[in-house]
Amino acid sequence: MKSIFQLSEQHRAVLMSNPWFAGLPEELREDIMARGQLRTLMPDECLCRRGEDPKGWYAVLEGAIRLSSVSCEGQESVMHFYDPGSWLGDLAMIDGLPRAYDSYAHLPSVLLQIRLADFVELQQRHPVFRQQLLELQCRRVRYLLSIYEAASTQALEKRLASRLLILALGFGSNTSDGVVSIALHLPQETLAQLLGASRQRINQVLKQWEADGMIEQKYGRITLLDKPRLERLAEECERPLREFGYDVPFGSARQFI
């Protein structure tokens, strides 16, 4: 880990792609970035473990961070992927309780780390920071409630389409003809964990979509061949957030996560 005094323009642009961070007062944003340290992780290297005391607040600058837990059988269960521009680890920094989940690098990753002492001092120097953190937590609660509502009321096809679009937003490579390749290894078991469904049902839906020319699967990699059709499927899952006045362009979850 090394201290940084000037964040690269590329990394600053990644941070500013997060609507919550971009909406902070400029003085607060600059102070956060000035206090940051770069941390580099290799794939499957641990960022923090469940039960650990909080040591840092993190922003993903490059790569992907995998949020997971471990089942009674010792198997990892994936819950979320944090893409560049996302912040994580603030909940334990706020309440002082141990980390609730495991976090690992899913790809070679670079993060901006704000140490606990700096996190506390930022709140003391910038009283508005506490209110902004509260707003961030409120956004997350609304997002999680929308996921819960979708799981209770929406068909798996709609929820899977929405999740693939979220992943494509953060990790997708677009071509001129509208094809989007998701740069993550996404076994069907992982998609099942993300959606609370069985691997068999995920397999059925993906095979049907592949037959319909909507997606392509190859060695755990998924390419979206017909993004507009997937967007039409996913639109109903975004409705609860739109009702609260949030602009959610087909899975743009970064403003909530």
Side-chain angles (χ1 to χ4, degrees):
M1 187 186 301
K2 62 179 181 179
S3 296
I4 58 171
F5 302 96
Q6 284 191 333
L7 206 59
S8 73
E9 288 303 314
Q10 177 184 353
H11 287 162
R12 290 175 69 94
V14 169
L15 292 175
M16 292 298 289
S17 71
N18 182 313
W20 174 79
F21 185 77
L24 297 178
E26 182 179 1
E27 183 181 359
L28 173 55
R29 289 200 313 264
E30 293 298 325
D31 201 359
I32 290 172
M33 290 186 286
R35 293 169 182 270
Q37 296 177 309
L38 284 184
R39 182 163 180 181
T40 302
L41 299 176
M42 298 303 294
D44 293 322
E45 187 175 348
C46 183
L47 175 64
C48 50
R49 299 184 189 279
R50 180 172 183 163
E52 286 185 343
D53 291 332
K55 298 181 178 66
W57 179 42
Y58 308 97
V60 183
L61 300 176
E62 301 175 28
I65 298 298
R66 183 176 75 243
L67 187 71
S68 63
S69 62
V70 179
S71 69
C72 295
E73 294 76 24
Q75 298 295 316
E76 182 185 24
S77 178
V78 179
M79 304 175 65
H80 186 67
F81 292 100
Y82 288 96
D83 65 326
S86 300
W87 289 87
L88 66 150
D90 43 277
L91 184 60
M93 300 281 277
I94 293 171
D95 64 19
L97 296 177
R99 298 291 190 192
Y101 302 101
D102 299 324
S103 301
Y104 293 89
H106 195 70
L107 301 170
S109 300
V110 178
L111 298 99
L112 183 73
Q113 174 175 325
I114 307 297
R115 298 174 303 173
L116 179 57
D118 285 311
F119 188 81
V120 172
E121 190 172 338
L122 281 165
Q123 295 179 69
Q124 295 170 346
R125 290 191 59 186
H126 306 274
V128 70
F129 187 38
R130 295 182 181 180
Q131 178 61 37
Q132 296 292 338
L133 288 170
L134 178 60
E135 179 184 329
L136 179 62
Q137 298 307 317
C138 290
R139 286 169 178 248
R140 286 175 173 161
V141 169
R142 290 193 185 277
Y143 179 68
L144 292 173
L145 287 174
S146 74
I147 290 177
Y148 179 78
E149 179 178 341
S152 303
T153 63
Q154 301 300 326
L156 176 61
E157 290 83 355
K158 294 179 180 291
R159 293 188 287 123
L160 179 55
S162 179
R163 182 55 64 114
L164 289 178
L165 289 165
I166 289 173
L167 293 171
L169 181 73
F171 305 106
S173 299
N174 299 282
T175 64
S176 58
D177 55 358
V179 173
V180 182
S181 178
I182 301 175
L184 288 176
H185 184 241
L186 294 170
Q188 293 179 3
E189 183 62 35
T190 297
L191 289 172
Q193 292 166 2
L194 289 171
L195 292 165
S198 70
R199 189 197 64 78
Q200 290 78 10
R201 280 289 292 125
I202 295 292
N203 179 57
Q204 290 173 359
V205 175
L206 291 178
K207 279 192 171 181
Q208 184 60 56
W209 286 356
E210 197 164 26
D212 293 342
M214 295 170 61
I215 67 163
E216 180 180 72
Q217 302 181 83
K218 193 172 184 180
Y219 304 116
R221 306 281 179 174
I222 296 179
T223 300
L224 310 186
L225 303 178
D226 192 344
K227 187 180 176 184
R229 190 169 172 185
L230 290 168
E231 288 175 344
R232 290 193 293 273
L233 269 175
E235 188 168 8
E236 186 66 19
C237 291
E238 312 296 352
R239 179 182 54 79
L241 291 172
R242 294 182 190 278
E243 289 177 350
F244 287 116
Y246 291 114
D247 180 23
V248 189
F250 303 110
S252 181
R254 191 178 301 148
Q255 63 178 302
F256 303 100
I257 296 300

